[in-house]
Amino acid sequence: MNHVRQPASPLGLFKSGVSLGGKVLQYRDKEKIYTQGDPAFTLFYIQHGGVRLTTRSKGQPSAVTAILGVHDFFGEVCLAGYPLRMSTAVAMTASSIRTISKNKMLHLLNKKNKASNALIGYLLASLKKYRDHVADLLTSNAEQRLARILLRLAHLEKDGLGPVEIPVVSHQILAEMVGTTRPRVNLFMNRFRKLGYIHYDGTLVVSKSLRRALQSN
C-alpha cells in the first residue's frame, strides 16, 4: 500500500481546532456523547476518532444517519435554533472531541471574514451531503450507495488525494446506512477489496480508484 493519509480538513484554517475555542474532551469506545432529545447548546468538532449518529422515530428502531470522522462537525443544527438534539451521538472508538458553545460559533460566523466564510461553506456542504444521501437511497442500487458512503467517509467525493483511512465501521452499521442487509454489504466489501478499491490493515483504507469506478458506471 502506498502512502496513506488522514482525510484533509475541509475547513483548512481550523484543522487543529484550536481557533474554534471550547474544550477538548476524551471519549471511550462506544461512550455516549449525547442523547436524542437532550438540550442543544453546543456543537462538536472531531480531532481524533469517529462518531456514529442514530435517530429514532416514534415506534421505530434507531437508524444510523451518519458516520463521522476526523475534522467533521456534528450537533451543528443547534445553530439553526433547534433547542433539542435530533440524534444520539456515540463514539465509535477512543476519540478526542472539541466542544464549542453555540454562542461562540455564532460569534465566529458573524465576523464575515475568510474564517467565517470557510465555516459557512462547510455547514452548507453538510446539508448538501445529507440531501445527496437521501437522493442515493431513491436512485442508486445498494452497491453504488455503499461506494458513495465510503467515499464520503474518506472525503474523496471529488478531488481527494487518497488513499485515506476512515473510522472503523462494522458491516452491520454500513448495512443500516445503505438500506440493505449485512450479507450483501459483506459481498460488496469483499468485491471492493479484491478490486483494490479498499484495503484492510488494522484500519479501513479507501482508494480514489473507487471514485473512478463509480464515475465510470
Side-chain angles (χ1 to χ4, degrees), residues 143-144 147-148 151 156 191-192 195-198 207-217:
E143 187 172 19
Q144 291 171 330
R148 289 194 174 96
L151 291 170
L156 287 175
R191 183 179 300 165
F192 291 166
L195 292 171
Y197 301 153
I198 63 174
S207 170
K208 62 183 178 181
S209 61
L210 178 59
R211 184 181 70 233
R212 291 196 297 265
L214 186 62
Q215 292 171 341
S216 66
N217 290 335

Side-chain angles (χ1 to χ4, degrees), residues 118-132:
L119 285 167
I120 292 170
Y122 173 86
L123 296 174
L124 291 174
S126 295
L127 291 175
K128 183 179 183 300
K129 287 180 181 179
Y130 177 77
R131 184 192 66 187
D132 289 346

Side-chain angles (χ1 to χ4, degrees), residues 139-197:
T139 62
S140 302
N141 63 46
E143 187 172 19
Q144 291 171 330
R145 296 197 299 270
L146 175 60
R148 289 194 174 96
I149 285 171
L150 294 174
L151 291 170
R152 282 198 293 270
L153 290 175
H155 300 295
L156 287 175
E157 304 101 313
K158 295 183 179 179
D159 299 319
L161 298 177
V164 180
E165 293 180 0
I166 67 173
V168 177
V169 185
S170 74
H171 287 189
Q172 180 58 45
I173 291 173
L174 287 173
E176 292 177 25
M177 294 190 72
V178 170
T180 189
T181 64
R182 180 173 179 174
R184 291 196 76 198
V185 166
N186 292 343
L187 174 66
F188 298 148
M189 292 292 278
N190 284 332
R191 183 179 300 165
F192 291 166
R193 180 179 54 80
K194 291 177 181 178
L195 292 171
Y197 301 153

Side-chain angles (χ1 to χ4, degrees), residues 23-96:
K23 298 180 179 179
V24 177
L25 301 178
Q26 306 299 321
Y27 291 90
R28 301 184 304 275
D29 179 25
K30 298 181 181 179
E31 183 175 358
K32 189 174 293 183
I33 300 166
Y34 60 72
T35 301
Q36 186 174 342
D38 285 350
F41 301 115
T42 55
L43 60 156
F44 304 85
Y45 180 73
I46 304 172
Q47 298 193 177
H48 175 76
V51 171
R52 179 175 74 249
L53 300 183
T54 59
T55 302
R56 179 187 295 273
S57 300
K58 187 174 181 180
Q60 299 293 325
S62 295
V64 177
T65 52
I67 300 294
L68 305 172
V70 176
H71 309 313
D72 281 331
F73 278 104
F74 61 100
E76 68 270 27
V77 293
C78 70
L79 297 174
Y82 290 90
L84 303 177
R85 300 295 184 195
M86 300 180 68
S87 61
T88 295
V90 177
M92 296 175 58
T93 184
S95 300
S96 299

